[in-house]
Amino acid sequence: MNLKKINDYLYEIPKSFRPDMRVPARVYADEVLLDQIFRDKSLEQLVNTTTLPGIVKYSLAMPDAHEGYGFCLTKDAKVMTSLGFYKKIIDFEKDWEGQNLKCFDFRRGIAESVQPIRFLKRKCNPSIYQIITLSREKIRATADHPFYTQKGMIPLKKIKEKEKIAIYPFKGVPYKKPSSEIIVSEKDIEKALLKLGRKPGQAGFDQNIRVLKKRNLLPLTYDHPKLPYLLKIMGFVFGDASMNFIGKRGDGIIHFVGKTEDLEEARKDLKKIGYTSSRIYERRNELKYKNKIKTYINHHFNVNAASLVILLEALRVPRGAKVSQAYRIPKWIFKAPLWQKRLFLASLFGCELRAPHRRLERKFGFNCPTFPMGKREELVNNAKMFLKDISRLLKEFGVYTSTINQRKRHVNTKGQVSYGLELIFSSRTENLINLWGKIGYEYNKERQLKAMVAVAYLKYKQKVLGTRKRAIDRSRLLRKRKVPYRKIYKKLCGPFISERFILDVVFKGDKKVAVKISPNFLTLEEFSAQAAKDLGRSGMVWDTIKKIEKIPFKGDVYDFTVNHPDHNFVANNFVVSNCIGGVAATDYEKGGVISPGGVGFDISCSVRLLTSGLDFEEVKSHLEKLADELNHTIPSGVGRGGKIKLDRETMDKVLADGLKALVPKGYATEEDMAHCEGGGSLEGADPLKVSDRAKTRGRDQLGTLGSGNHFCSLEKIDKIFNKEVADKLGLKLGQIVVMIHTGSRGVGHQVCTDWVRVFNSKISQWGIKLPDRELACAPINTPEGKGYFGAMCGAANFAVCNHQMITHLVRKVWDKVFGKKSQGLKLLYSVAHNIGKIEEHKIDGKKMKLIVHRKGATRAFPPGHPELPKDHQETGQVVLVPGSMGTASYVLVGTEKGKESFYSVCHGAGRAMSRHAAMRRVSGEAVVKELKSKGIIIKCRSFRGIAEEAPLAYKDIDAVVNIVDKAGLAKKVARLVPLAVIKGE
Amino acid sequence: MINDNICMISDYEILPHTADLKIRAYGKNLEQVFSNMLKGMFESSHPEIVSKQPVTREIRISARGPLRRSFSEASGSALGGKSQNLESLLVDFLSEALYLSDVNNEAYFGVEFKKLTEKELDGEIKGEKIKGSQLEIKAVTWHDLEIKKEDKLWQATVLFDI
């Protein structure tokens, strides 16, 4: 995929990225934040938003919406591709596009193929970690690079020794660029056709050549992109498939037999070559055996394509019955690079070579793999030559065969005699590891999975054998020094080194001791049971980490970004990894939809700023008292109600009228209302569309903060970026301001829950298909769409009233502490960042009515916009971007250039770390202590919940705001730093 | 060593997620996986239990319609209309439990079902009175929602908005 760079701060993901996208997706970010963007679900969510019916122009993501880590691998990390070869990551630098890497879908537990979106190269910080596992897998990566463990993807620095990590045991073979030598030319096809008795000028001649040319298959060279798939198909035809010309017209047909999942793979590969196959058929055969009838089910499909049969014949694939034909491994394969040979062999073995199976009489060994072949008596020598060809190919992989046996003699009904021959492979551990670890099986998923477990098992066995050998050598040495055997045992004992073992070695003296596996070693069954637990049928296996160490490093580090929800690929056998926050506008007139998921659960979660007439010097001695009073007065409302309990009638009024309902009671002024987004009272609010549940939940939550990242804080303006605008807004350096961040509490959560349920039940009726049910939506011109809109506005009205009641409490405390000295607190502005609004925007010169969904994004209208209060007409709409606890916050104003993002900007710093991770890294008390050392007071009911909100869990707010500023979407006006953070009682 | 740490399937586990709470619950049957997810949800919110006195609430999701319309109290909860499928049923069940918890200041750690099919349920959730939670679970989302039976074990994954 080509990520389009619009400018230094804006990138676009084209519509072609995914087939269900209706519009492109855009991301505001710089190079650094761009890395983080692709690391998690935000990309997927952003792209999902583009599927909303009626969406206009593009869906947007703001820089703060992105979560994730920045992490890389060293240049020699071997990355596994889906064609079974690996390349060092540095070798991908020039041609990473279009490569197919192996990756895993953890949810479904399967292996898949994925293409990289980006290739990253960066200068590294001077330290790198190295992991070595029990099976001697090794990899070096940066501290933040996630690896897949039993707890999911965890960054390297968090992984401890003895923890289990997921590896993909398949080693594959190194990549070598194939030559451009021609294997099959047009002339070769003509020769093959003439041999078949076809004549030029006839239908069966020119037609076939034309078809092959149309599919770009001629000339077929070693570096032809379709050759890898042809090699796989060839292996199949040499095995369980067969091809021939049938009927009077000589129709070419290739017949494939196997298991459904494997046949599907073959069909996909044939499609890549350019041929369509029949569907998969099922055939049931009943066989009578000892008076019982057994039903055998087999699956097969065909390809009817004479041109393909001709091509394969020109490639020297046998046609017709194999038992009565002489043929060899095509000579040209011997000239192909190793990874191409591998594709042919793996596919052939997928048909003919049995899965790894245990020796019955030796618990820990495998039977010799055998490759069988049946041939007519008179062609037995040819069969032996063919098997020797295979042996020759195998040597290049380090796989050795021992003998060729001629076994069974069979006479058929026509009296023809044929023999069954076998090529026997060595069953030595190293041999098997090479066979299954480098070649493996294609078109046979079941066998490949068993092979992966077998490789892991054998490597583990090797390791234990190594331990035992070392124990033997060391005991001998110690014995020579006359150390008693009990002491030797104490020194060397381990899970596979028993006292009896040491005794045996010691008493054998100088006689040779064979290194054998310990009798208490795991059997294959025991190993399999644990090895792939929870890893489904992906082929991944758990390995235990032996050592993690930090090593000094100087140089570049690399990584891929891949297009897959689980964001991973395989490097050095390790499975490694590489939204909220979005704006989507749908067309109101043309069946555009409204989506509760595009708005968020905390409907109208908002931020407001109250300015005071006091500066830091005047307030500093009162800070502790002020913070205390505020904390006592403002309820958090979590688990216990607030101070206000609404009856049904008042609740309905609040939902319907917003601040208008509070003015008569003296809790809000007209001026307050003018300085709220939407005028403090959203039109279109309909209390009837808010469920009883939502109303019941919210009845005692008016005037409460809630938990999580909600807060009330005392801040100081410590930097002015734009004096002109700051003056007009009444902002001064050193001024004390109050920030409140909260939302619609249980009302909003319930409204969203209720309507998502309704929408999901109706979505098929409207013919809408969505990639994520959380995006459940309804066309705005349906009763349901209108219903949600009405309920959402109601919840937004509840939110602004909630804010206002808290403001009222803050004002009371302010007056109490400062009395006549202060002029009270003035509301600068209140903005929402989880809301859907019906707005008019000019799109391509045309005025359009849009439903703009801002989830984790803030509206930022430009100067002169009619919706702004009179005193902000010149400056543009005030935008408030709170940082995380203890970090800076920003005041910005909207600009005309914001038009390109539907006048929307970011809403905050955005999380960079999960709550769990934050809690593990730091304790609540430690955070409070650190903030205190910076002069910041935290007032809360308990320390739990503080760690999760620690600043280290959030992104760099300065970087986020800078992007918005540089992209021209809003202008920085002032920066605030916190003095006290109040979480409420 | 593979020998040592034989993994025990827990009732539920918390999966990594940057901003929200993702829980995977297990069970030998459908009742158990629903019950364990409920337990996981409430235990993860770290409620402050006020009294050991057990409380029970009725939950019903069926075609029969709501039990009783009441503004000030939610003695039980009945959601009208059957759920679309098993996944919807799980979300509806957890959302209803969350609603009852918020309104009554209770947390529920187990459930006994009188009826549990793919689209309907009727049961009693059991818990205790609380005076707040350290973590407020805002809602049950449909993101990455999954419930399936694999190798004789039921498994459900739910992402909660917090």
Side-chain angles (χ1 to χ4, degrees):
Chain A
M1 180 207 62
N2 289 319
L3 191 65
K4 199 164 122 187
K5 185 174 179 175
I6 312 269
N7 61 48
D8 276 339
Y9 299 99
L10 181 57
Y11 292 82
E12 184 174 283
I13 298 163
K15 241 167 60 163
S16 53
F17 179 70
R18 230 173 65 184
D20 55 349
M21 287 172 78
R22 294 173 195 257
V23 291
R26 284 186 169 193
V27 176
Y28 283 96
D30 61 11
E31 283 278 339
V32 174
L33 282 173
L34 196 64
D35 288 352
Q36 298 176 347
I37 282 163
F38 290 115
R39 299 295 172 184
D40 61 20
K41 294 248 170 210
S42 301
L43 173 64
E44 193 193 349
Q45 285 172 11
L46 176 65
V47 172
N48 286 347
T49 324
T50 63
T51 67
L52 286 173
I55 188 166
V56 164
K57 281 209 110 171
Y58 31 64
S59 75
L60 296 164
M62 291 294 148
D64 57 339
H66 311 131
E67 340 172 272
Y69 309 105
F71 39 80
C72 287
L73 303 167
T74 58
K75 68 175 191 260
D76 49 6
K78 300 189 186 115
V79 177
M80 178 61 68
T81 66
S82 57
L83 283 177
F85 63 80
Y86 60 80
K87 266 164 72 156
K88 290 199 185 145
I89 197 165
I90 189 176
D91 295 333
F92 278 101
E93 193 169 5
K94 297 273 156 62
D95 64 350
W96 56 268
E97 288 201 58
Q99 294 282 335
N100 285 304
L101 307 181
K102 194 144 196 100
C103 78
F104 295 96
D105 182 328
F106 300 120
R107 212 161 39 98
R108 295 186 295 163
I110 58 173
E112 293 188 316
S113 175
V114 75
Q115 294 198 344
I117 306 172
R118 280 187 93 211
F119 179 83
L120 297 143
K121 175 178 168 182
R122 240 194 296 177
K123 281 262 170 303
C124 183
N125 287 327
S127 73
I128 284 257
Y129 285 73
Q130 175 168 268
I131 295 183
I132 304 178
T133 67
L134 278 187
S135 14
R136 294 177 292 182
E137 304 292 353
K138 219 196 254 189
I139 193 168
R140 292 195 270 173
T142 56
D144 280 318
H145 201 121
F147 286 79
Y148 194 65
T149 68
Q150 293 187 315
K151 298 192 196 110
M153 281 289 188
I154 306 269
L156 182 37
K157 63 187 169 193
K158 294 314 230 6
I159 301 178
K160 295 198 268 285
E161 289 175 5
K162 299 227 177 100
E163 266 190 59
K164 295 224 178 84
I165 205 170
I167 57 155
Y168 185 57
F170 186 70
K171 271 255 158 350
V173 293
Y175 180 73
K176 193 177 116 175
K177 195 163 153 67
S179 73
S180 45
E181 190 187 324
I182 296 177
I183 308 170
V184 171
S185 64
E186 198 176 320
K187 274 251 166 323
D188 295 317
I189 298 292
E190 284 175 8
K191 264 198 248 169
L193 285 164
L194 288 169
K195 227 166 140 193
L196 283 169
R198 312 271 176 103
K199 296 200 176 70
Q202 277 181 348
F205 196 95
D206 306 312
Q207 166 87 333
N208 284 312
I209 297 185
R210 219 175 327 130
V211 169
L212 287 172
K213 275 174 133 171
K214 194 169 95 166
R215 296 208 162 91
N216 287 322
L217 285 166
L218 291 175
L220 188 67
T221 56
Y222 282 99
D223 58 358
H224 195 289
K226 292 184 182 177
L227 186 66
Y229 304 103
L230 279 165
L231 282 160
K232 283 170 82 181
I233 296 293
M234 277 177 63
F236 209 147
V237 181
F238 270 89
D240 285 337
S242 62
M243 68 180 197
N244 219 336
F245 294 107
I246 54 172
K248 276 204 203 122
R249 287 183 314 176
D251 293 328
I253 185 165
I254 313 178
H255 180 85
F256 296 86
V257 185
K259 290 212 196 94
T260 313
E261 59 183 354
D262 303 317
L263 293 178
E264 287 293 357
E265 273 301 305
R267 288 176 85 238
K268 277 193 211 144
D269 287 345
L270 282 159
K271 197 82 213 238
K272 289 193 187 124
I273 298 171
Y275 289 91
T276 314
S277 333
S278 76
R279 66 175 177 89
I280 298 177
Y281 296 97
E282 186 181 277
R283 188 170 32 216
R284 290 166 179 260
N285 287 327
E286 286 183 348
L287 279 177
K288 240 194 171 159
Y289 182 67
K290 289 189 181 167
N291 291 325
K292 287 195 202 145
I293 297 185
K294 219 179 170 212
T295 314
Y296 291 91
I297 301 176
N298 85 18
H299 294 94
H300 66 274
F301 75 90
N302 304 316
V303 182
N304 295 320
S307 59
L308 185 58
V309 177
I310 301 278
L311 178 63
L312 291 174
E313 174 135 319
L315 286 167
R316 299 271 178 275
V317 177
R319 182 170 54 84
K322 296 199 264 286
V323 73
S324 48
Q325 252 185 86
Y327 56 86
R328 300 281 293 272
I329 300 272
K331 278 202 199 120
W332 64 266
I333 290 188
F334 287 94
K335 289 198 273 181
L338 197 66
W339 64 273
Q340 290 186 342
K341 288 173 175 144
R342 188 223 143 240
L343 286 167
F344 173 73
L345 281 178
S347 170
L348 179 59
F349 291 167
C351 298
E352 305 290 15
L353 208 66
R354 242 186 104 173
H357 53 287
R358 226 199 65 190
R359 281 177 77 156
L360 288 173
E361 78 287 11
R362 278 172 64 177
K363 274 207 286 186
F364 311 117
F366 284 96
N367 275 321
C368 297
T370 56
F371 184 94
M373 190 143 201
K375 215 67 155 187
R376 289 270 188 274
E377 189 171 33
E378 59 274 17
L379 295 172
V380 159
N381 270 333
N382 171 267
K384 287 189 181 159
M385 299 306 290
F386 180 86
L387 293 175
K388 286 209 179 108
D389 286 341
I390 295 189
S391 189
R392 230 178 93 200
L393 277 177
L394 284 171
K395 266 208 199 99
E396 287 184 51
F397 294 87
V399 180
Y400 296 92
T401 58
S402 50
T403 50
I404 295 177
N405 279 347
Q406 188 166 328
R407 300 185 64 216
K408 290 187 270 200
R409 187 176 181 272
H410 176 258
V411 186
N412 71 7
T413 49
K414 293 192 194 137
Q416 294 165 311
V417 181
S418 57
Y419 282 94
L421 295 100
E422 293 181 326
L423 175 66
I424 316 273
F425 295 29
S426 150
S427 64
R428 290 181 62 231
T429 304
E430 294 72 27
N431 210 47
L432 296 179
I433 289 178
N434 284 338
L435 172 65
W436 293 322
K438 288 188 187 172
I439 303 178
Y441 302 91
E442 293 283 352
Y443 295 145
N444 199 317
K445 185 121 185 251
E446 228 11 85
R447 276 184 205 162
Q448 178 67 2
L449 294 179
K450 293 207 173 98
M452 291 299 96
V453 175
V455 169
Y457 178 74
L458 286 168
K459 290 186 109 182
Y460 180 46
K461 187 174 168 192
Q462 262 185 335
K463 196 207 160 287
V464 172
L465 283 171
T467 314
R468 281 168 71 93
K469 176 158 201 314
R470 275 192 300 279
I472 291 174
D473 294 338
R474 280 198 76 194
S475 2
R476 292 221 150 125
L477 211 64
L478 291 169
R479 190 61 180 159
K480 283 212 169 98
R481 293 192 207 144
K482 310 261 198 261
V483 178
Y485 93 87
R486 279 219 174 79
K487 256 202 166 168
I488 299 178
Y489 169 62
K490 259 207 164 145
K491 243 187 189 292
L492 301 176
C493 69
F496 298 109
I497 310 280
S498 66
E499 196 173 338
R500 180 64 197 268
F501 175 68
I502 299 288
L503 196 64
D504 273 346
V505 169
V506 161
F507 279 99
K508 276 224 166 88
D510 284 329
K511 279 199 241 165
K512 196 167 180 212
V513 178
V515 187
K516 284 198 281 197
I517 195 70
S518 141
N520 67 337
F521 188 67
L522 291 174
T523 61
L524 181 64
E525 289 76 26
E526 287 163 346
F527 182 85
S528 308
Q530 291 298 316
K533 205 167 208 187
D534 290 334
L535 294 170
R537 294 181 84 226
S538 58
M540 287 193 283
V541 185
W542 294 115
D543 196 354
T544 312
I545 296 185
K546 184 168 147 189
K547 204 174 185 195
I548 303 182
E549 53 186 357
K550 225 178 184 173
I551 52 180
F553 184 79
K554 260 191 208 162
D556 296 323
V557 283
Y558 303 81
D559 207 351
F560 280 113
T561 305
V562 297
N563 168 25
H564 189 277
D566 283 332
H567 292 286
N568 64 74
F569 56 92
V570 181
N572 282 14
N573 296 76
F574 291 86
V575 182
V576 297
S577 187
N578 52 64
C579 203
I580 331 169
V583 182
T586 58
D587 191 336
Y588 188 91
E589 310 290 354
K590 298 216 178 91
V593 297
I594 185 164
S595 167
V599 166
F601 278 100
D602 195 352
I603 296 176
S604 200
C605 185
S606 323
V607 188
R608 61 170 51 188
L609 199 69
L610 306 168
T611 54
S612 75
L614 303 172
D615 66 20
F616 181 61
E617 295 303 315
E618 294 170 279
V619 164
K620 70 178 181 195
S621 54
H622 300 269
L623 264 181
E624 186 73 40
K625 179 165 184 229
L626 192 56
D628 249 340
E629 279 283 342
L630 284 171
N631 200 48
H632 279 309
T633 316
I634 302 173
S636 69
V638 179
R640 45 168 103 160
K643 301 185 167 151
I644 306 163
K645 286 194 174 25
L646 299 173
D647 60 28
R648 179 67 180 250
E649 211 189 307
T650 319
M651 170 63 86
D652 280 346
K653 265 219 190 88
V654 165
L655 293 169
D657 300 331
L659 288 188
K660 274 198 214 141
L662 298 182
V663 171
K665 304 221 166 109
Y667 297 128
T669 63
E670 292 282 348
E671 223 197 304
D672 286 338
M673 282 187 64
H675 288 83
C676 288
E677 191 178 319
S681 170
L682 288 188
E683 261 180 53
D686 187 352
L688 291 173
K689 301 297 178 196
V690 177
S691 70
D692 288 336
R693 274 180 184 71
K695 291 176 190 171
T696 312
R697 266 177 97 165
R699 75 183 191 276
D700 63 352
Q701 291 184 341
L702 195 69
T704 62
L705 272 177
S707 69
N709 57 6
H710 293 167
F711 62 85
C712 169
S713 68
L714 293 167
E715 313 255 340
K716 171 179 85 169
I717 297 182
D718 86 326
K719 199 165 181 188
I720 300 278
F721 298 100
N722 188 320
K723 190 152 193 318
E724 201 192 321
V725 173
D727 284 341
K728 290 207 177 102
L729 294 175
L731 300 174
K732 283 195 297 262
L733 202 60
Q735 185 182 24
I736 298 296
V737 296
V738 180
M739 189 182 283
I740 302 172
H741 176 215
T742 181
S744 52
R745 309 284 286 108
V747 175
H749 309 158
Q750 193 65 41
V751 163
C752 187
T753 301
D754 294 336
W755 285 96
V756 168
R757 180 175 198 254
V758 169
F759 285 8
N760 265 321
S761 67
K762 288 238 150 140
I763 227 160
S764 48
Q765 272 180 28
W766 295 316
I768 299 174
K769 251 189 157 175
L770 291 168
D772 182 353
R773 267 176 302 191
E774 194 57 43
L775 275 179
C777 56
I780 189 66
N781 53 18
T782 55
E784 290 83 5
K786 291 207 172 72
Y788 169 68
F789 185 73
M792 182 200 72
C793 291
N797 281 347
F798 184 88
V800 74
C801 287
N802 187 27
H803 261 265
Q804 192 64 30
M805 291 314 299
I806 296 176
T807 305
H808 178 76
L809 293 171
V810 172
R811 280 172 169 160
K812 265 173 67 180
V813 169
W814 199 265
D815 286 341
K816 184 172 166 194
V817 173
F818 295 108
K820 297 276 159 66
K821 248 202 304 189
S822 88
Q823 301 146 336
L825 294 167
K826 196 173 120 165
L827 175 61
L828 176 65
Y829 206 64
S830 173
V831 284
H833 50 247
N834 272 359
I835 192 88
K837 284 278 180 69
I838 298 178
E839 293 168 359
E840 226 177 56
H841 288 260
K842 229 181 186 169
I843 307 290
D844 300 328
K846 205 173 65 162
K847 262 203 197 146
M848 283 182 86
K849 200 167 170 188
L850 302 174
I851 311 159
V852 184
H853 298 72
R854 295 187 181 95
K855 180 176 175 184
T858 314
R859 189 189 75 181
F861 276 159
H865 198 283
E867 270 212 43
L868 301 180
K870 282 205 196 88
D871 52 344
H872 293 176
Q873 283 284 323
E874 260 193 76
T875 58
Q877 184 211 305
V878 168
V879 177
L880 303 165
V881 181
S884 63
M885 191 167 58
T887 66
S889 307
Y890 285 83
V891 178
L892 303 103
V893 285
T895 62
E896 192 47 57
K897 192 161 188 288
K899 185 174 167 179
E900 68 188 51
S901 65
F902 304 107
Y903 299 116
S904 318
V905 296
C906 60
H907 79 303
R911 285 197 77 96
M913 187 187 297
S914 78
R915 284 161 210 274
H916 243 88
M919 274 183 355
R920 276 203 295 254
R921 286 182 70 160
V922 74
S923 72
E925 287 92 341
V927 172
V928 172
K929 213 171 160 194
E930 202 200 315
L931 292 174
K932 221 174 174 167
S933 69
K934 290 193 185 146
I936 303 172
I937 304 167
I938 308 265
K939 293 286 176 193
C940 52
R941 210 161 46 115
S942 85
F943 287 122
R944 202 67 176 269
I946 297 287
E948 299 165 343
E949 296 302 317
L952 56 78
Y954 283 84
K955 291 184 176 204
D956 186 1
I957 180 82
D958 300 317
V960 167
V961 169
N962 272 330
I963 292 171
V964 162
D965 182 273
K966 293 238 168 69
L969 301 178
K971 269 192 318 211
K972 287 198 290 198
V973 176
R975 189 178 73 181
L976 319 169
V977 289
L979 302 170
V981 178
I982 289 109
K983 303 293 258 177
E985 280 272 284
Chain B
M1 296 285 145
I2 308 282
N3 250 338
D4 305 337
N5 315 327
I6 307 282
C7 309
M8 282 296 291
I9 301 276
S10 49
D11 294 343
Y12 66 86
E13 53 189 356
I14 299 175
L15 302 179
H17 194 278
T18 315
D20 296 322
L21 176 67
K22 196 167 184 178
I23 301 184
R24 177 167 290 164
Y26 301 95
K28 293 202 201 96
N29 51 41
L30 207 54
E31 284 83 1
Q32 208 177 61
V33 75
F34 267 59
S35 182
N36 284 336
M37 183 61 84
L38 184 76
K39 184 161 100 164
M41 176 169 94
F42 281 105
E43 279 184 357
S44 307
S45 71
H46 300 292
E48 291 162 43
I49 298 178
V50 121
S51 129
K52 281 280 179 183
Q53 188 94 351
V55 294
T56 38
R57 296 276 169 199
E58 228 191 286
I59 284 196
R60 197 197 308 152
I61 299 170
S62 75
R64 264 192 295 154
L67 265 176
R68 187 177 30 225
R69 275 183 190 270
S70 167
F71 180 64
S72 56
E73 186 194 82
S75 62
S77 162
L79 203 53
K82 291 192 200 176
S83 295
Q84 296 270 289
N85 49 35
L86 201 52
E87 278 121 343
S88 320
L89 190 65
L90 182 59
V91 170
D92 292 340
F93 170 68
L94 295 169
S95 298
E96 288 298 285
L98 199 57
Y99 158 70
L100 287 170
S101 156
D102 205 7
V103 162
N104 296 308
N105 288 322
E106 290 166 354
Y108 313 103
F109 304 102
V111 55
E112 238 177 65
F113 287 104
K114 288 187 216 139
K115 178 180 188 181
L116 178 59
T117 68
E118 286 231 337
K119 298 192 179 176
E120 297 178 78
L121 65 84
D122 187 350
E124 274 185 351
I125 48 178
K126 296 167 199 271
E128 280 133 19
K129 273 251 177 281
I130 60 173
K131 70 169 179 202
S133 309
Q134 310 290 13
L135 179 68
E136 188 188 8
I137 295 181
K138 290 187 182 157
V140 184
T141 79
W142 294 68
H143 273 314
D144 294 342
L145 180 62
E146 192 183 49
I147 174 163
K148 63 178 180 187
K149 188 171 180 179
E150 201 174 73
D151 286 336
K152 299 186 189 157
L153 196 65
W154 278 97
Q155 174 184 306
T157 312
V158 179
L159 185 71
F160 299 91
D161 187 290
I162 53 179

